[in-house]
Amino acid sequence: MTHTWSPVDRSIGLGIALLGIAAALASIPALLAQAGQFAPWWGLLLSIPPLLLVLAAVGWFRLPAVVLRAIWIAQPAVLFLALLLSCLAWTGNGEFVPSPQSWWWDAIALSSLVLVLRIPYVLAAVIAFSAAVPLSALAFLGDIPDSVLAAGFVHCANIAVVMLVYSLRAQLVEYHRVREVTEQLRAEDERIQAASAGFEAFAREVHDEVLATFGAALLFDGEPPEELRRSASVALRSLARADGEPVTEPIELRSSDAAELIRALTAEAAPGVAVASAVTAGWVSSVAASTVGLAAAEAARNAARHAVGGSGSVLAADGTIVVTISDTGPGFDPEAIGAAHFGVRESIIRRILELDGGRVTIDSGAQGTRVVIGWNRPGE
């Protein structure tokens, strides 16, 4: 037997069944014309292969694979038996034995064997089918008419038909296999991208809380101030939750709750930066609120660190969030953000740009820095 029955085999088999039914219907006039030349039992035997093809076509996508295999073996086997007994069933007189129309169905029968047997066995079946009627004539008539012998050699050309079906099947099986591998690789790529995104989020978390605290600690000798103690506590909580899965399922928050969430995040990161809020009744995405809040917290932390304070505001309305953080520090060049500005590049800009509907603008100069972080519900 060949390898496991596949969707490709089902599709090719259905095509073979339909072609076989069409060939049988086209042969009905010739079979009726020969009805008096062959015994009735032979006609009944010859009707079995087309009936099996009808059964296969009707129940092709529902029948179990074992039943389909049985049909593809039984159909050519019965036809081969009919060919072997054709001269026994012949009732004509004289030396000439007309080639029965069933002989012209063997291409269909042999093609079906490609689905269930290895190709060497199928090629052997081609030779056997080509010799069936000549052997029948030799066994039951004692002689092989020239027309039958010539037709036997012609039917060896079914080797080309079988090889064509075999090649088509091999190409389709390979295409199906490549498509499955491609789907697996795509799923693996999505998994890797998700893991990479999680790592980047963790890197932002480490920078936002841990590295910033360590950097501040280097500036102090002796007893650390209360602000540094508070930052260390936040950093430790960040590390404690770093191995947990973040909540990514969005829910709708009241705009007032979203504003309070953002104010809480900025207050935790930089208590010295006062953030006012203006709220209009409505709903916003929890994912958007938390993402904007984390970016605003980094902006507030930068203001507290580099400008010794600052101010901010939160505007939350239905489907809209706008956060502004300002300070009067020395400023920097937003166009020259490099590796040294990981917090601005990753924790603010990239974090917001990866948020669907997010936007961010940074204006900075000698008079200070102003960061505006916004979000609008997509489609609005």
Side-chain angles (χ1 to χ4, degrees):
M1 294 292 177
T2 58
H3 54 267
T4 305
W5 195 262
S6 69
V8 171
D9 292 322
R10 286 186 176 270
S11 299
I12 294 178
L14 178 59
I16 292 174
L18 295 176
L19 286 175
I21 294 172
L25 293 175
S27 300
I28 289 178
L31 290 174
L32 292 177
Q34 292 181 336
Q37 298 177 355
F38 294 90
W41 61 265
W42 190 81
L44 292 175
L45 181 64
L46 198 60
S47 67
I48 295 177
L51 292 177
L52 290 175
L53 291 177
V54 171
L55 175 62
V58 171
W60 191 250
F61 290 102
R62 296 183 180 180
L63 292 175
V66 64
V67 175
L68 294 175
R69 288 192 183 97
I71 290 176
W72 286 138
I73 293 176
Q75 186 256 143
V78 173
L79 181 58
F80 181 70
L81 178 62
L83 294 177
L84 284 177
L85 299 177
S86 59
C87 290
L88 175 63
W90 184 55
T91 60
N93 296 318
E95 297 181 356
F96 177 72
V97 179
S99 300
Q101 290 296 318
S102 60
W103 206 358
W104 302 102
W105 299 348
D106 58 354
I108 300 295
L110 292 167
S111 296
S112 67
L113 289 178
V114 173
L115 303 179
V116 291
L117 298 178
R118 298 186 183 278
I119 194 63
Y121 299 115
V122 179
L123 295 178
V126 172
I127 303 301
F129 266 71
S130 300
V133 176
L135 289 176
S136 179
L138 183 62
F140 299 111
L141 301 178
D143 187 27
I144 303 176
D146 292 340
S147 60
V148 173
L149 185 61
F153 287 108
V154 171
H155 277 258
C156 288
N158 282 325
I159 291 177
V161 176
V162 166
M163 293 306 299
L164 178 62
V165 175
Y166 175 78
S167 176
L168 174 63
R169 178 181 180 275
Q171 292 293 328
L172 291 176
V173 168
E174 179 64 15
Y175 170 77
H176 187 73
R177 185 192 68 81
V178 170
R179 188 174 64 177
E180 288 183 341
V181 171
T182 301
E183 291 297 327
Q184 293 173 358
L185 291 176
R186 183 180 293 111
E188 180 66 13
D189 182 63
E190 291 175 354
R191 186 192 66 79
I192 292 174
Q193 289 183 7
S196 176
F199 177 78
E200 291 174 357
F202 175 61
R204 295 190 191 111
E205 187 81 8
V206 170
H207 172 272
D208 293 353
E209 305 296 350
V210 182
L211 296 183
T213 300
F214 290 165
L218 293 175
L219 302 177
F220 293 91
D221 293 323
E223 186 69 18
E226 182 60 30
E227 173 66 17
L228 186 56
R229 290 178 180 273
R230 186 202 58 77
S231 296
S233 176
V234 173
L236 289 175
R237 289 201 301 274
S238 297
L239 286 177
R241 65 175 181 264
D243 59 350
E245 291 294 330
V247 178
T248 57
E249 291 295 329
I251 61 174
E252 290 293 301
L253 293 179
R254 295 182 185 275
S255 54
S256 57
D257 293 335
E260 286 304 311
L261 171 63
I262 295 171
R263 290 186 63 197
L265 289 171
T266 55
E268 183 181 41
V273 177
V275 177
S277 63
V279 177
T280 301
W283 300 85
V284 298
S285 165
S286 60
V287 172
S290 61
T291 303
V292 170
L294 290 171
E298 175 62 17
R301 183 183 292 106
N302 288 338
R305 184 183 305 130
H306 301 295
V308 195
S311 62
S313 64
V314 179
L315 169 63
D318 188 52
T320 300
I321 302 173
V322 179
V323 180
T324 302
I325 303 293
S326 302
D327 65 58
T328 56
F332 63 95
D333 183 3
E335 300 297 327
I337 296 175
H341 295 85
F342 183 92
V344 175
R345 188 183 73 248
E346 295 292 329
S347 298
I348 298 178
I349 297 177
R350 186 170 180 179
R351 172 180 274 152
I352 294 302
L353 293 183
E354 289 179 351
L355 174 65
D356 194 13
R359 64 187 185 281
V360 59
T361 58
I362 300 176
D363 296 318
S364 185
Q367 303 302 316
T369 300
R370 183 172 183 266
V371 179
V372 180
I373 303 167
W375 171 83
N376 285 92
R377 184 180 291 119
E380 296 186 359

